[in-house]
Amino acid sequence: MKDTMNPVEPTEKQLKQFGLMMAGVFSFFAAIFFYKTWTTASGVLGVLILFFGGMALVSPKGLLPVHKKWMRFAEVLGNFNAKVILSLTYFFVFTPIRIVGSIFREDPLRRKFEPDKESYWLDCEPRDSDPKRYEKQF
């Protein structure tokens, strides 16, 4: 499968940062597991900490296959999350607004065709012509 996210190989510095970051995250969870006295889980994470930390310090290029797989996983997870978040936003934000608008017969875009009207133009209040208002638009 083609890597669509980042076709450029990561630099040695980026691979080193990746290894140290993974070791740091695993250290955090290992500390929690050690506190909870889950020794097997903290031992497994200890091995991962040694692997990622050691590779990051000794040979960052050795992390390239792991980095590629991790980034592919991140891309798949990000695409899935985007679809879920956008779907939930649509159904729980925009759908109720449309339902309430339909109940009160609101048409904020004024889409209703009125054959008796001469023009659909809406007059607005004139603005001052001072050029200073363009300097700070927001």
Side-chain angles (χ1 to χ4, degrees):
M1 186 172 281
K2 186 179 175 192
D3 185 17
T4 57
M5 190 177 95
N6 188 8
V8 178
E9 294 288 318
T11 64
E12 193 167 329
K13 181 181 177 185
Q14 290 172 328
L15 289 171
K16 187 175 186 176
Q17 289 174 341
F18 169 72
L20 293 175
M21 187 242 351
M22 292 297 281
V25 170
F26 286 141
S27 297
F28 173 75
F29 286 109
I32 291 173
F33 292 159
F34 186 75
Y35 176 76
K36 296 272 189 180
T37 63
W38 296 346
T39 54
T40 306
S42 58
V44 169
L45 288 177
V47 171
L48 290 172
I49 293 165
L50 290 174
F51 170 74
F52 280 104
M55 290 295 287
L57 296 174
V58 175
S59 176
K61 288 286 187 189
L63 289 173
L64 187 61
V66 179
H67 182 267
K68 283 186 176 186
K69 296 286 185 196
W70 181 260
M71 295 315 272
R72 177 68 186 136
F73 170 71
E75 182 180 15
V76 169
L77 188 64
N79 288 335
F80 174 76
N81 281 342
K83 290 174 185 169
V84 168
I85 291 169
L86 290 174
S87 298
L88 291 175
T89 301
Y90 179 80
F91 286 113
F92 291 114
V93 175
F94 297 116
T95 302
I97 289 173
R98 176 65 182 133
I99 291 170
V100 169
S102 295
I103 290 171
F104 293 110
R105 305 263 187 226
E106 286 291 320
D107 187 15
L109 298 178
R110 295 183 184 92
R111 295 173 295 169
K112 185 178 172 187
F113 179 69
E114 299 175 28
D116 299 336
K117 264 191 163 181
E118 245 179 75
S119 170
Y120 290 96
W121 183 264
L122 297 175
D123 286 326
C124 59
E125 294 183 27
R127 299 180 183 163
D128 61 350
S129 59
D130 183 22
K132 289 248 184 221
R133 73 181 177 103
Y134 294 111
E135 290 178 8
K136 295 183 181 179
Q137 297 180 18
F138 302 102

Short mmCIF file of all heavy atoms in Angstrom, two decimals, residues 55-113:
data_model
loop_
_atom_site.label_atom_id
_atom_site.label_comp_id
_atom_site.label_asym_id
_atom_site.label_seq_id
_atom_site.Cartn_x
_atom_site.Cartn_y
_atom_site.Cartn_z
N MET A 55 17.62 2.66 20.76
CA MET A 55 17.69 2.88 19.32
C MET A 55 17.78 4.37 19.00
O MET A 55 18.48 4.76 18.07
CB MET A 55 16.49 2.26 18.61
CG MET A 55 16.50 0.75 18.59
SD MET A 55 17.86 0.05 17.65
CE MET A 55 17.33 0.39 16.00
N ALA A 56 17.05 5.19 19.75
CA ALA A 56 17.07 6.63 19.50
C ALA A 56 18.46 7.21 19.76
O ALA A 56 18.93 8.08 19.02
CB ALA A 56 16.04 7.35 20.36
N LEU A 57 19.13 6.70 20.76
CA LEU A 57 20.44 7.23 21.11
C LEU A 57 21.58 6.61 20.30
O LEU A 57 22.54 7.29 19.97
CB LEU A 57 20.70 7.03 22.60
CG LEU A 57 19.74 7.80 23.54
CD1 LEU A 57 20.00 7.41 24.98
CD2 LEU A 57 19.87 9.29 23.33
N VAL A 58 21.46 5.32 19.97
CA VAL A 58 22.55 4.62 19.30
C VAL A 58 22.41 4.65 17.78
O VAL A 58 23.34 5.01 17.06
CB VAL A 58 22.63 3.16 19.80
CG1 VAL A 58 23.69 2.38 19.03
CG2 VAL A 58 22.91 3.13 21.28
N SER A 59 21.23 4.25 17.28
CA SER A 59 21.04 4.14 15.83
C SER A 59 19.62 4.55 15.44
O SER A 59 18.75 3.68 15.24
CB SER A 59 21.31 2.70 15.39
OG SER A 59 21.05 2.56 14.02
N PRO A 60 19.36 5.84 15.33
CA PRO A 60 17.99 6.30 15.00
C PRO A 60 17.47 5.76 13.67
O PRO A 60 16.27 5.54 13.52
CB PRO A 60 18.12 7.81 14.96
CG PRO A 60 19.35 8.15 15.69
CD PRO A 60 20.25 6.96 15.55
N LYS A 61 18.36 5.52 12.70
CA LYS A 61 17.92 5.00 11.40
C LYS A 61 17.28 3.62 11.53
O LYS A 61 16.50 3.21 10.69
CB LYS A 61 19.09 4.94 10.40
CG LYS A 61 19.55 6.29 9.92
CD LYS A 61 18.57 6.85 8.93
CE LYS A 61 19.13 8.13 8.33
NZ LYS A 61 18.16 8.82 7.53
N GLY A 62 17.61 2.90 12.58
CA GLY A 62 17.02 1.58 12.82
C GLY A 62 15.54 1.67 13.17
O GLY A 62 14.82 0.66 13.10
N LEU A 63 15.08 2.84 13.55
CA LEU A 63 13.66 3.03 13.89
C LEU A 63 12.79 3.33 12.66
O LEU A 63 11.58 3.49 12.79
CB LEU A 63 13.51 4.18 14.89
CG LEU A 63 14.01 3.90 16.30
CD1 LEU A 63 13.96 5.16 17.14
CD2 LEU A 63 13.17 2.81 16.94
N LEU A 64 13.41 3.40 11.49
CA LEU A 64 12.67 3.77 10.28
C LEU A 64 11.48 2.84 9.99
O LEU A 64 10.37 3.32 9.75
CB LEU A 64 13.61 3.84 9.08
CG LEU A 64 13.00 4.38 7.79
CD1 LEU A 64 12.50 5.81 7.98
CD2 LEU A 64 14.03 4.34 6.67
N PRO A 65 11.64 1.51 10.04
CA PRO A 65 10.48 0.64 9.77
C PRO A 65 9.36 0.83 10.80
O PRO A 65 8.18 0.85 10.45
CB PRO A 65 11.05 -0.78 9.84
CG PRO A 65 12.51 -0.64 9.74
CD PRO A 65 12.87 0.72 10.21
N VAL A 66 9.74 0.98 12.07
CA VAL A 66 8.73 1.19 13.12
C VAL A 66 8.04 2.53 12.91
O VAL A 66 6.81 2.63 13.04
CB VAL A 66 9.40 1.13 14.52
CG1 VAL A 66 8.38 1.38 15.61
CG2 VAL A 66 10.10 -0.20 14.72
N HIS A 67 8.81 3.54 12.56
CA HIS A 67 8.25 4.88 12.32
C HIS A 67 7.26 4.85 11.17
O HIS A 67 6.18 5.44 11.25
CB HIS A 67 9.38 5.87 12.03
CG HIS A 67 8.93 7.26 11.81
ND1 HIS A 67 8.65 7.78 10.57
CD2 HIS A 67 8.68 8.27 12.70
CE1 HIS A 67 8.26 9.03 10.69
NE2 HIS A 67 8.28 9.35 11.97
N LYS A 68 7.59 4.15 10.08
CA LYS A 68 6.69 4.08 8.93
C LYS A 68 5.38 3.39 9.31
O LYS A 68 4.29 3.86 8.95
CB LYS A 68 7.36 3.35 7.77
CG LYS A 68 8.36 4.19 7.04
CD LYS A 68 8.88 3.46 5.82
CE LYS A 68 9.81 4.38 5.04
NZ LYS A 68 10.23 3.80 3.79
N LYS A 69 5.48 2.28 10.02
CA LYS A 69 4.25 1.56 10.44
C LYS A 69 3.43 2.42 11.40
O LYS A 69 2.20 2.47 11.31
CB LYS A 69 4.61 0.24 11.12
CG LYS A 69 5.30 -0.75 10.24
CD LYS A 69 4.34 -1.37 9.28
CE LYS A 69 5.06 -2.46 8.50
NZ LYS A 69 4.35 -2.87 7.33
N TRP A 70 4.10 3.11 12.31
CA TRP A 70 3.40 3.95 13.28
C TRP A 70 2.68 5.10 12.57
O TRP A 70 1.54 5.42 12.89
CB TRP A 70 4.38 4.48 14.31
CG TRP A 70 3.70 5.33 15.35
CD1 TRP A 70 3.65 6.68 15.42
CD2 TRP A 70 2.94 4.85 16.45
NE1 TRP A 70 2.92 7.08 16.50
CE2 TRP A 70 2.46 5.97 17.14
CE3 TRP A 70 2.61 3.57 16.91
CZ2 TRP A 70 1.67 5.85 18.28
CZ3 TRP A 70 1.83 3.47 18.05
CH2 TRP A 70 1.37 4.60 18.72
N MET A 71 3.34 5.71 11.59
CA MET A 71 2.72 6.82 10.87
C MET A 71 1.54 6.34 10.01
O MET A 71 0.55 7.05 9.85
CB MET A 71 3.75 7.56 10.02
CG MET A 71 4.82 8.25 10.87
SD MET A 71 4.16 9.14 12.28
CE MET A 71 3.84 10.71 11.58
N ARG A 72 1.65 5.14 9.46
CA ARG A 72 0.54 4.57 8.70
C ARG A 72 -0.66 4.34 9.63
O ARG A 72 -1.79 4.63 9.29
CB ARG A 72 0.97 3.27 8.02
CG ARG A 72 -0.12 2.58 7.27
CD ARG A 72 -0.54 3.37 6.04
NE ARG A 72 -1.69 2.70 5.44
CZ ARG A 72 -2.76 3.32 5.01
NH1 ARG A 72 -2.83 4.63 5.05
NH2 ARG A 72 -3.77 2.65 4.52
N PHE A 73 -0.38 3.78 10.82
CA PHE A 73 -1.43 3.59 11.82
C PHE A 73 -2.06 4.92 12.21
O PHE A 73 -3.29 5.03 12.32
CB PHE A 73 -0.86 2.89 13.06
CG PHE A 73 -1.79 2.84 14.23
CD1 PHE A 73 -2.90 2.03 14.21
CD2 PHE A 73 -1.57 3.64 15.34
CE1 PHE A 73 -3.77 1.99 15.29
CE2 PHE A 73 -2.43 3.61 16.42
CZ PHE A 73 -3.54 2.78 16.39
N ALA A 74 -1.24 5.95 12.39
CA ALA A 74 -1.74 7.28 12.76
C ALA A 74 -2.61 7.86 11.65
O ALA A 74 -3.63 8.51 11.92
CB ALA A 74 -0.57 8.22 13.06
N GLU A 75 -2.23 7.61 10.39
CA GLU A 75 -3.03 8.11 9.27
C GLU A 75 -4.40 7.44 9.22
O GLU A 75 -5.42 8.10 9.05
CB GLU A 75 -2.28 7.87 7.97
CG GLU A 75 -2.99 8.41 6.75
CD GLU A 75 -2.21 8.15 5.47
OE1 GLU A 75 -1.28 7.34 5.47
OE2 GLU A 75 -2.57 8.77 4.46
N VAL A 76 -4.42 6.12 9.40
CA VAL A 76 -5.69 5.39 9.39
C VAL A 76 -6.56 5.84 10.55
O VAL A 76 -7.77 6.10 10.39
CB VAL A 76 -5.43 3.86 9.44
CG1 VAL A 76 -6.71 3.09 9.70
CG2 VAL A 76 -4.77 3.40 8.16
N LEU A 77 -5.97 5.96 11.72
CA LEU A 77 -6.72 6.40 12.91
C LEU A 77 -7.25 7.82 12.73
O LEU A 77 -8.39 8.13 13.08
CB LEU A 77 -5.83 6.31 14.15
CG LEU A 77 -6.50 6.54 15.49
CD1 LEU A 77 -7.52 5.45 15.75
CD2 LEU A 77 -5.46 6.56 16.59
N GLY A 78 -6.43 8.70 12.15
CA GLY A 78 -6.87 10.08 11.91
C GLY A 78 -8.01 10.16 10.92
O GLY A 78 -8.96 10.92 11.11
N ASN A 79 -7.95 9.37 9.85
CA ASN A 79 -9.05 9.36 8.88
C ASN A 79 -10.33 8.85 9.51
O ASN A 79 -11.42 9.40 9.29
CB ASN A 79 -8.68 8.50 7.67
CG ASN A 79 -7.65 9.17 6.80
OD1 ASN A 79 -7.52 10.38 6.79
ND2 ASN A 79 -6.90 8.37 6.07
N PHE A 80 -10.23 7.81 10.32
CA PHE A 80 -11.40 7.27 11.00
C PHE A 80 -11.99 8.31 11.96
O PHE A 80 -13.20 8.54 11.97
CB PHE A 80 -11.04 5.99 11.75
CG PHE A 80 -12.16 5.45 12.58
CD1 PHE A 80 -13.22 4.78 11.99
CD2 PHE A 80 -12.16 5.62 13.95
CE1 PHE A 80 -14.26 4.29 12.75
CE2 PHE A 80 -13.20 5.13 14.72
CZ PHE A 80 -14.25 4.46 14.13
N ASN A 81 -11.12 8.92 12.77
CA ASN A 81 -11.59 9.92 13.73
C ASN A 81 -12.25 11.10 13.04
O ASN A 81 -13.25 11.64 13.52
CB ASN A 81 -10.44 10.41 14.60
CG ASN A 81 -10.11 9.45 15.70
OD1 ASN A 81 -10.91 8.58 16.05
ND2 ASN A 81 -8.93 9.57 16.26
N ALA A 82 -11.69 11.53 11.93
CA ALA A 82 -12.27 12.67 11.20
C ALA A 82 -13.69 12.33 10.75
O ALA A 82 -14.60 13.15 10.89
CB ALA A 82 -11.40 13.03 10.01
N LYS A 83 -13.88 11.13 10.23
CA LYS A 83 -15.22 10.74 9.78
C LYS A 83 -16.19 10.65 10.94
O LYS A 83 -17.34 11.08 10.84
CB LYS A 83 -15.15 9.41 9.03
CG LYS A 83 -14.46 9.56 7.69
CD LYS A 83 -14.26 8.23 7.02
CE LYS A 83 -13.44 8.46 5.75
NZ LYS A 83 -12.97 7.24 5.16
N VAL A 84 -15.74 10.09 12.05
CA VAL A 84 -16.62 9.96 13.22
C VAL A 84 -16.97 11.33 13.77
O VAL A 84 -18.14 11.64 14.03
CB VAL A 84 -15.96 9.08 14.31
CG1 VAL A 84 -16.71 9.17 15.62
CG2 VAL A 84 -15.87 7.64 13.84
N ILE A 85 -15.99 12.19 13.94
CA ILE A 85 -16.24 13.52 14.52
C ILE A 85 -17.13 14.35 13.60
O ILE A 85 -18.07 15.02 14.07
CB ILE A 85 -14.90 14.24 14.81
CG1 ILE A 85 -14.20 13.54 15.96
CG2 ILE A 85 -15.12 15.71 15.11
CD1 ILE A 85 -12.77 13.98 16.17
N LEU A 86 -16.87 14.32 12.30
CA LEU A 86 -17.71 15.08 11.38
C LEU A 86 -19.13 14.54 11.34
O LEU A 86 -20.10 15.31 11.27
CB LEU A 86 -17.10 15.08 9.98
CG LEU A 86 -15.82 15.90 9.84
CD1 LEU A 86 -15.21 15.70 8.45
CD2 LEU A 86 -16.10 17.37 10.08
N SER A 87 -19.29 13.23 11.40
CA SER A 87 -20.63 12.65 11.41
C SER A 87 -21.39 13.03 12.67
O SER A 87 -22.57 13.42 12.60
CB SER A 87 -20.55 11.12 11.31
OG SER A 87 -19.95 10.75 10.10
N LEU A 88 -20.73 12.93 13.81
CA LEU A 88 -21.39 13.31 15.07
C LEU A 88 -21.75 14.79 15.08
O LEU A 88 -22.83 15.17 15.54
CB LEU A 88 -20.50 12.96 16.26
CG LEU A 88 -20.30 11.47 16.53
CD1 LEU A 88 -19.28 11.27 17.65
CD2 LEU A 88 -21.61 10.80 16.86
N THR A 89 -20.86 15.63 14.57
CA THR A 89 -21.16 17.06 14.49
C THR A 89 -22.37 17.30 13.62
O THR A 89 -23.26 18.09 13.97
CB THR A 89 -19.94 17.82 13.94
OG1 THR A 89 -18.83 17.59 14.79
CG2 THR A 89 -20.22 19.32 13.87
N TYR A 90 -22.42 16.64 12.48
CA TYR A 90 -23.54 16.84 11.57
C TYR A 90 -24.85 16.43 12.24
O TYR A 90 -25.82 17.18 12.21
CB TYR A 90 -23.33 16.02 10.29
CG TYR A 90 -24.47 16.16 9.32
CD1 TYR A 90 -24.57 17.27 8.51
CD2 TYR A 90 -25.47 15.19 9.24
CE1 TYR A 90 -25.62 17.42 7.62
CE2 TYR A 90 -26.52 15.33 8.36
CZ TYR A 90 -26.59 16.44 7.55
OH TYR A 90 -27.63 16.57 6.69
N PHE A 91 -24.88 15.25 12.84
CA PHE A 91 -26.13 14.75 13.39
C PHE A 91 -26.54 15.42 14.69
O PHE A 91 -27.73 15.56 14.96
CB PHE A 91 -26.08 13.24 13.57
CG PHE A 91 -26.16 12.50 12.27
CD1 PHE A 91 -25.09 11.78 11.79
CD2 PHE A 91 -27.32 12.56 11.50
CE1 PHE A 91 -25.17 11.12 10.58
CE2 PHE A 91 -27.40 11.91 10.28
CZ PHE A 91 -26.33 11.18 9.83
N PHE A 92 -25.59 15.86 15.50
CA PHE A 92 -25.96 16.43 16.80
C PHE A 92 -25.93 17.95 16.84
O PHE A 92 -26.36 18.54 17.82
CB PHE A 92 -25.07 15.86 17.91
CG PHE A 92 -25.34 14.41 18.17
CD1 PHE A 92 -24.38 13.45 17.90
CD2 PHE A 92 -26.57 14.00 18.65
CE1 PHE A 92 -24.63 12.12 18.13
CE2 PHE A 92 -26.83 12.67 18.88
CZ PHE A 92 -25.85 11.72 18.61
N VAL A 93 -25.44 18.61 15.78
CA VAL A 93 -25.43 20.07 15.75
C VAL A 93 -26.32 20.58 14.63
O VAL A 93 -27.29 21.31 14.87
CB VAL A 93 -23.99 20.63 15.60
CG1 VAL A 93 -24.02 22.14 15.44
CG2 VAL A 93 -23.15 20.24 16.80
N PHE A 94 -26.03 20.19 13.40
CA PHE A 94 -26.75 20.76 12.26
C PHE A 94 -28.16 20.20 12.10
O PHE A 94 -29.07 20.93 11.71
CB PHE A 94 -25.94 20.55 10.98
CG PHE A 94 -24.63 21.27 11.01
CD1 PHE A 94 -23.44 20.57 10.96
CD2 PHE A 94 -24.57 22.64 11.11
CE1 PHE A 94 -22.22 21.22 11.00
CE2 PHE A 94 -23.36 23.31 11.15
CZ PHE A 94 -22.18 22.60 11.10
N THR A 95 -28.35 18.91 12.39
CA THR A 95 -29.68 18.33 12.25
C THR A 95 -30.69 18.97 13.21
O THR A 95 -31.78 19.36 12.78
CB THR A 95 -29.63 16.81 12.43
OG1 THR A 95 -28.71 16.27 11.45
CG2 THR A 95 -30.99 16.18 12.24
N PRO A 96 -30.37 19.14 14.51
CA PRO A 96 -31.34 19.82 15.38
C PRO A 96 -31.61 21.27 14.96
O PRO A 96 -32.75 21.75 15.09
CB PRO A 96 -30.68 19.78 16.77
CG PRO A 96 -29.74 18.64 16.71
CD PRO A 96 -29.26 18.58 15.30
N ILE A 97 -30.59 21.96 14.46
CA ILE A 97 -30.82 23.34 14.01
C ILE A 97 -31.80 23.34 12.85
O ILE A 97 -32.72 24.18 12.79
CB ILE A 97 -29.48 23.99 13.61
CG1 ILE A 97 -28.63 24.25 14.85
CG2 ILE A 97 -29.71 25.30 12.84
CD1 ILE A 97 -27.23 24.72 14.55
N ARG A 98 -31.65 22.41 11.94
CA ARG A 98 -32.56 22.33 10.79
C ARG A 98 -33.97 21.96 11.24
O ARG A 98 -34.96 22.48 10.71
CB ARG A 98 -32.03 21.30 9.78
CG ARG A 98 -32.94 21.05 8.62
CD ARG A 98 -33.08 22.31 7.77
NE ARG A 98 -33.98 22.05 6.69
CZ ARG A 98 -34.97 22.84 6.32
NH1 ARG A 98 -35.16 23.98 6.95
NH2 ARG A 98 -35.76 22.53 5.34
N ILE A 99 -34.08 21.05 12.20
CA ILE A 99 -35.41 20.65 12.69
C ILE A 99 -36.10 21.83 13.36
O ILE A 99 -37.29 22.10 13.10
CB ILE A 99 -35.29 19.44 13.65
CG1 ILE A 99 -34.87 18.20 12.86
CG2 ILE A 99 -36.60 19.20 14.39
CD1 ILE A 99 -34.50 17.02 13.72
N VAL A 100 -35.38 22.57 14.19
CA VAL A 100 -35.97 23.75 14.86
C VAL A 100 -36.35 24.80 13.82
O VAL A 100 -37.42 25.41 13.90
CB VAL A 100 -34.99 24.32 15.91
CG1 VAL A 100 -35.45 25.68 16.41
CG2 VAL A 100 -34.84 23.36 17.06
N GLY A 101 -35.49 24.99 12.83
CA GLY A 101 -35.81 25.94 11.76
C GLY A 101 -37.05 25.53 10.99
O GLY A 101 -37.86 26.38 10.59
N SER A 102 -37.23 24.24 10.75
CA SER A 102 -38.41 23.77 10.03
C SER A 102 -39.66 23.95 10.86
O SER A 102 -40.73 24.28 10.32
CB SER A 102 -38.25 22.29 9.69
OG SER A 102 -37.20 22.10 8.79
N ILE A 103 -39.54 23.74 12.16
CA ILE A 103 -40.71 23.90 13.03
C ILE A 103 -41.19 25.35 13.02
O ILE A 103 -42.38 25.63 12.93
CB ILE A 103 -40.38 23.44 14.47
CG1 ILE A 103 -40.21 21.93 14.50
CG2 ILE A 103 -41.46 23.88 15.45
CD1 ILE A 103 -39.68 21.38 15.81
N PHE A 104 -40.27 26.30 13.09
CA PHE A 104 -40.63 27.71 13.11
C PHE A 104 -40.69 28.34 11.73
O PHE A 104 -40.82 29.55 11.60
CB PHE A 104 -39.66 28.49 14.01
CG PHE A 104 -39.77 28.12 15.45
CD1 PHE A 104 -38.76 27.41 16.08
CD2 PHE A 104 -40.89 28.46 16.18
CE1 PHE A 104 -38.86 27.06 17.41
CE2 PHE A 104 -41.00 28.12 17.52
CZ PHE A 104 -39.98 27.41 18.13
N ARG A 105 -40.58 27.53 10.69
CA ARG A 105 -40.65 27.98 9.30
C ARG A 105 -39.64 29.08 8.99
O ARG A 105 -39.93 30.04 8.30
CB ARG A 105 -42.06 28.48 8.95
CG ARG A 105 -43.16 27.50 9.22
CD ARG A 105 -43.50 26.79 7.96
NE ARG A 105 -44.69 25.96 8.18
CZ ARG A 105 -44.78 24.73 7.80
NH1 ARG A 105 -43.80 24.18 7.16
NH2 ARG A 105 -45.85 24.03 8.02
N GLU A 106 -38.44 28.92 9.52
CA GLU A 106 -37.37 29.89 9.27
C GLU A 106 -36.66 29.55 7.97
O GLU A 106 -36.42 28.39 7.66
CB GLU A 106 -36.35 29.88 10.41
CG GLU A 106 -36.83 30.52 11.68
CD GLU A 106 -36.99 32.02 11.56
OE1 GLU A 106 -36.14 32.67 10.92
OE2 GLU A 106 -37.98 32.53 12.09
N ASP A 107 -36.33 30.57 7.21
CA ASP A 107 -35.55 30.40 5.99
C ASP A 107 -34.49 31.50 5.98
O ASP A 107 -34.68 32.56 5.38
CB ASP A 107 -36.45 30.50 4.76
CG ASP A 107 -35.71 30.16 3.48
OD1 ASP A 107 -34.61 29.60 3.56
OD2 ASP A 107 -36.23 30.48 2.40
N PRO A 108 -33.37 31.27 6.68
CA PRO A 108 -32.37 32.33 6.81
C PRO A 108 -31.74 32.74 5.49
O PRO A 108 -31.22 33.85 5.38
CB PRO A 108 -31.33 31.74 7.76
CG PRO A 108 -31.53 30.28 7.69
CD PRO A 108 -32.96 30.06 7.35
N LEU A 109 -31.78 31.90 4.49
CA LEU A 109 -31.20 32.25 3.19
C LEU A 109 -32.22 32.92 2.26
O LEU A 109 -31.89 33.33 1.16
CB LEU A 109 -30.65 31.00 2.50
CG LEU A 109 -29.52 30.30 3.24
CD1 LEU A 109 -29.11 29.05 2.48
CD2 LEU A 109 -28.35 31.23 3.40
N ARG A 110 -33.46 33.02 2.71
CA ARG A 110 -34.55 33.62 1.92
C ARG A 110 -34.61 33.00 0.52
O ARG A 110 -34.51 33.68 -0.49
CB ARG A 110 -34.36 35.13 1.84
CG ARG A 110 -34.47 35.81 3.18
CD ARG A 110 -34.33 37.32 3.03
NE ARG A 110 -34.34 37.95 4.32
CZ ARG A 110 -33.24 38.22 5.02
NH1 ARG A 110 -32.07 37.90 4.55
NH2 ARG A 110 -33.33 38.79 6.20
N ARG A 111 -34.78 31.68 0.50
CA ARG A 111 -34.77 30.94 -0.77
C ARG A 111 -36.15 30.88 -1.42
O ARG A 111 -36.27 30.43 -2.55
CB ARG A 111 -34.28 29.52 -0.52
CG ARG A 111 -32.84 29.46 -0.08
CD ARG A 111 -32.47 28.07 0.30
NE ARG A 111 -33.27 27.71 1.48
CZ ARG A 111 -33.37 26.50 1.97
NH1 ARG A 111 -32.75 25.51 1.40
NH2 ARG A 111 -34.10 26.25 3.03
N LYS A 112 -37.17 31.30 -0.74
CA LYS A 112 -38.52 31.19 -1.25
C LYS A 112 -38.69 32.07 -2.50
O LYS A 112 -38.37 33.26 -2.51
CB LYS A 112 -39.51 31.62 -0.17
CG LYS A 112 -40.95 31.42 -0.56
CD LYS A 112 -41.84 31.81 0.59
CE LYS A 112 -43.28 31.80 0.16
NZ LYS A 112 -44.14 32.33 1.19
N PHE A 113 -39.20 31.49 -3.56
CA PHE A 113 -39.44 32.21 -4.80
C PHE A 113 -40.75 32.99 -4.68
O PHE A 113 -41.80 32.44 -4.36
CB PHE A 113 -39.52 31.22 -5.97
CG PHE A 113 -39.79 31.88 -7.28
CD1 PHE A 113 -38.82 32.68 -7.88
CD2 PHE A 113 -41.00 31.71 -7.93
CE1 PHE A 113 -39.06 33.28 -9.09
CE2 PHE A 113 -41.24 32.31 -9.14
CZ PHE A 113 -40.28 33.10 -9.73
#
